[in-house]
Amino acid sequence: MKYESLYVAYLIYFNRDRDYFECHEVLEELWLARDKDPRYKGLLQVAVGLYHFRNGNVPGGFKMMNSAFTKLKPYGEQELGIDLAKLVREIEIYAKRLASFESLPFAYYDLTIDIVDPELLAIVTKASKEIKPIVPQRRGPQRAVRH
């Protein structure tokens, strides 16, 4: 398979479920397995930025979105089967709006990652029938129960 299953799961959690905590979990595992590829780090940071802002942490949201923008802007228009150029533009706008949030507040909104590779779209569509949403979504790391 051309695309990693963890990457496919990330796209499903990001676009379908808006479960940015789980996005972080699956993409961090892939990022570490792929020698800390900056593309995966940038995509991971987009999810973390949205997670923080949705939960009221504006400085954390800005820090992650700004970092994601810096990591992803050097790459091509289409990377990893997605419209990266569109996403980078949206991240830049989000980061700028978060930077001036105190004087110009705005309501939280989600981003969508446009899948441009038909092969990836088919894989994501098939996998989204198999990957169940996590309900309720986790709001932070969960410790194992000690007996």
Side-chain angles (χ1 to χ4, degrees), residues 2-54:
K2 182 177 172 182
Y3 296 102
E4 303 275 355
S5 61
L6 291 168
Y7 177 60
V8 170
Y10 167 85
L11 291 170
I12 292 166
Y13 290 128
F14 194 100
N15 285 343
R16 182 191 72 187
D17 301 343
R18 309 302 185 188
D19 187 340
Y20 303 120
F21 185 85
E22 200 59 33
C23 285
H24 169 270
E25 294 295 291
V26 297
L27 211 56
E28 182 176 53
E29 186 178 333
L30 181 57
W31 172 68
L32 291 170
R34 294 289 164 250
D35 298 322
K36 299 185 178 181
D37 183 325
R39 296 172 304 169
Y40 292 129
K41 180 68 170 187
L43 291 173
L44 188 154
Q45 288 176 327
V46 174
V48 174
L50 290 170
Y51 174 85
H52 282 310
F53 182 46
R54 183 169 64 189

